[in-house]
Amino acid sequence: MIEAFRLGLFSRGKILWDGLDFALDDGAVWVIVGPPASGKTLLLAVLRGERRPDAGDVLISGESLYRGRAASARAFRAACGAITERPDGDGRMTVEGLFLRSALVWGGIDRRERKERQGRLLTIVGLAGTEPLHLSSLSASERARARLAAELVRSPKFLFGDGMVSSAGLPFQEMLGALFRALAGEGNTVVLAERLLPARWASLADEGRTAGPFRIFRLSDAAAKAGSP
Amino acid sequence: LRGTASHVWIDWRLAGGSVARQSLVRFIFLCALAFGLLVLVLSGGIGRWLSSQYAVTAVLRESVSADEAAGLARKIAGLPPVASAEYRDPADAWKEFLQAFPGLESLPGTAGNPLPGYIQIRIRRDRFDAADVEQVISVLRPLPAVAQVLSGGDSLPRLLRAARYAAVGSWTVFGAFFAAFFLLCALQEQVRVLSSSGAYRYLLDRGAPRGRIVSGRAVGSALWCLFLAAFATGAATAVLSFLLGRFSLLRAVIGPAEDLLTPSVAVAACAFILSAALLSAGASLLGWRSVGASGN
């Protein structure tokens, strides 16, 4: 479980938010919705342990991410996957390069196993056969999906996506919704930050709760809702 | 250690083409350095050439027979600093004199050969210093068969000083080139790290341990440079061996190709290879600082 406790952040010369309290249970898909410049990207960075908050703390399974043991924090980050808005200098990389880089987080994955997972994941996100293509030659939607597939090659326990669903585009919302809920069904936690709750997910989301400038929705799993996509 | 090992070839995986291109430049530089090193070790700057030109001459008394002189030459050749001791009888001495000064065959008052026999002593290249030359002279002087010892007198210290300065100068130039190699490596590492900074930031953001990446890169850089330096040294040895076999002038100044197989050359080559590897590791650590300054 990821718990935000009295989180506060000062950025761009003002207090972005202060006193945020919320908890994200394991094995669920969470969508954090907030207006532009509300600090969604920074909030995800704080939750991932990349950006220390100016106030409050983040607890992972009860242990402080910023004040606890460095090894625990590192282990949590190693268990995270992230699709950020920041391009990470991958414009000149090929799709296969993304998978190779992702696998290097663990010091590399056996080539055959990586190739096998790579092919499977690219098929799932609708990008089969794109391995040799450079990212710069892909559309924004394809890039977002390729980055997602590359993160999934490590089977992360926690997956963070920043504006990923809107980048992927309307036609892929249902596919991504199904994929994320399947991941959650396997016990993983998916945390997404979006400007708006994706239209096609509205029927799957709970009523949401407010935390500072954000509204946090939980998507129900596929079995819970009849007629879900 | 296992973690470090998994990141040893991380640069090859992230930017293989860049590493290959940079390795080519390093290899060419290492070849030139290895060639220079071998030439310096073999020649000792200008030491070999000077020692081949310099000789101590023990002029023998007229009463010394050829057998006695040859025996004496053999004994002198056994002295530790002596490379060779060769007896020339009066007839040879006269022939050499006439070759050096043609037309003096009929000097007035020279009935026959006026020159005595002598022993020409050459000093070993690695013992060519004032103390060892003095040791040989001090052995020769008290011998009753020796009338006079010609050793260059006052010019010898100047000659030795020139040889020393030449050696120091040569090694300084070599050191400067070695330092330039380090700078080249550091620059290459910095360029590569900067161009891959996005990828490194990606890994660090996802909890890949910085220490393991840094140490893995350094170990990988050292291992790869060890291979490059060894290969470059081998190539330089082959080229130098070919040149020494072909050009006698080079052989006279640098030395025979067989000397490339002596232990001192092997030790120098190993030290060079290891130093290059260590410098490469150091440059890798230095290059990483550019990521350290910008990231995470």
Side-chain angles (χ1 to χ4, degrees), chain A:
Chain A
M1 177 189 277
I2 303 172
E3 292 172 280
F5 178 70
R6 311 300 298 164
L7 276 188
L9 198 77
F10 184 85
S11 179
R12 305 170 207 154
K14 61 175 183 178
I15 296 171
L16 272 182
W17 21 266
D18 195 17
L20 288 192
D21 280 314
F22 59 85
L24 308 176
D25 288 336
D26 289 341
V29 182
W30 299 92
V31 187
I32 300 173
V33 174
S38 58
K40 296 184 294 297
T41 299
L42 284 171
L43 178 60
L44 285 199
V46 168
L47 294 179
R48 283 170 49 217
E50 190 188 339
R51 165 76 148 87
R52 194 183 186 88
D54 296 312
D57 201 355
V58 175
L59 306 181
I60 307 297
S61 303
E63 186 167 359
S64 168
L65 186 55
Y66 292 98
R67 293 174 182 83
R69 290 175 301 141
S72 300
R74 218 171 28 239
F76 170 68
R77 292 177 73 180
C80 287
I83 305 100
T84 60
E85 284 185 327
R86 194 172 61 194
D88 282 332
D90 54 13
R92 287 185 302 170
M93 290 178 86
T94 60
V95 172
E96 180 159 21
L98 281 182
F99 283 87
L100 188 63
R101 186 182 67 174
S102 177
L104 277 177
V105 172
W106 289 349
I109 297 176
D110 174 66
R111 183 186 161 84
R112 219 176 64 183
E113 189 182 343
R114 176 173 59 78
K115 290 257 185 193
E116 192 263 323
R117 284 196 212 175
Q118 174 182 303
R120 196 154 33 91
L121 287 165
L122 284 175
T123 305
I124 290 174
V125 298
L127 292 172
T130 56
E131 287 93 335
L133 299 182
H134 282 267
L135 250 62
S136 54
S137 69
L138 301 182
S139 69
S141 165
E142 289 169 328
R143 274 201 297 273
R145 283 179 283 138
R147 287 192 183 118
L148 168 65
E151 288 299 296
L152 292 179
V153 82
R154 301 194 310 276
S155 307
K157 176 95 177 112
F158 301 90
L159 182 68
F160 293 85
D162 186 10
M164 212 220 86
V165 182
S166 54
S167 298
L170 204 58
F172 296 97
Q173 280 185 11
E174 286 183 16
M175 180 272 287
L176 289 177
L179 174 61
F180 292 148
R181 279 179 292 130
L183 287 171
E186 290 171 4
N188 303 302
T189 306
V190 180
V191 184
L192 306 165
E194 297 289 335
R195 287 185 184 178
L196 298 166
L197 183 66
R200 298 193 182 185
W201 293 7
S203 61
L204 299 168
D206 61 6
E207 67 279 11
R209 59 207 148 96
T210 302
F214 310 112
R215 195 149 178 85
I216 302 173
F217 297 93
R218 175 183 178 145
L219 292 198
S220 60
D221 60 30
K225 290 246 179 181
S228 59

